[in-house]
Amino acid sequence: MRKIILMGSVSLEGFFEGPERQIDWHLVDDELHQHMNDELSPMGGFLSGRVMYELMAAFWPTADAGPAVSTPVAEFAGIWRSMPKYVYSRTLEHADWNSTVVRDVVPAEVAALKAAPGGDLVLSGADLAASFLRHDLVDAYRIYVHPVRIGRGRPLFPPVAAPAPLRLEGTRSFTNGVVQLRYARP
């Protein structure tokens, strides 16, 4: 059975974006980008909301077209274009680039998606993640903590009513100071 893996970057205090939606504090250099490519290339699909999809679709379809593009950026452009994408939106009518629009997070439909053949599924975006967490659909976490405090912004995780214990699967630090934390259900 495939897993749903929540993957995201946060500041030291757990914000995934600043108060004006800024993410310019993310420290993604070639080393980290190549690592993310290596993590994402074997996946079976990307699960995202409309905002995340539109952000990605505005850049990645042609990100490898320029002559000065780094190898990790060019590689991810190909990964993004070819990867099946499930875009959760109640307003989006159509999505390109190997994408399927899904209207709502329905646990039975997510279970069927997990039961299908292929690699694990990567979940991104705080709003969609909150819906998946509310339905207890997240199996694992790959969180990249950036060495910066931004003071305020949108947290990646919504408040919970009760503790949700997790099992540490590993950590990895990068030369730019980012640390990846890998957790899964016990």
Side-chain angles (χ1 to χ4, degrees), residues 96-166:
D96 292 318
W97 304 107
N98 199 16
S99 302
T100 302
V101 176
V102 182
R103 294 294 172 215
D104 288 301
V105 177
V106 178
E109 292 174 6
V110 174
L113 191 57
K114 286 175 64 172
D120 292 335
L121 303 163
V122 176
L123 173 64
S124 61
D127 293 335
L128 185 60
S131 293
F132 272 71
L133 289 165
R134 196 170 27 259
H135 291 293
D136 195 28
L137 297 171
V138 176
D139 301 302
Y141 302 83
R142 293 185 186 163
I143 306 301
Y144 296 84
V145 180
H146 292 250
V148 63
R149 290 177 43 219
I150 63 172
R152 59 193 181 101
R154 291 187 61 205
L156 179 59
F157 295 101
V160 295
L166 299 169

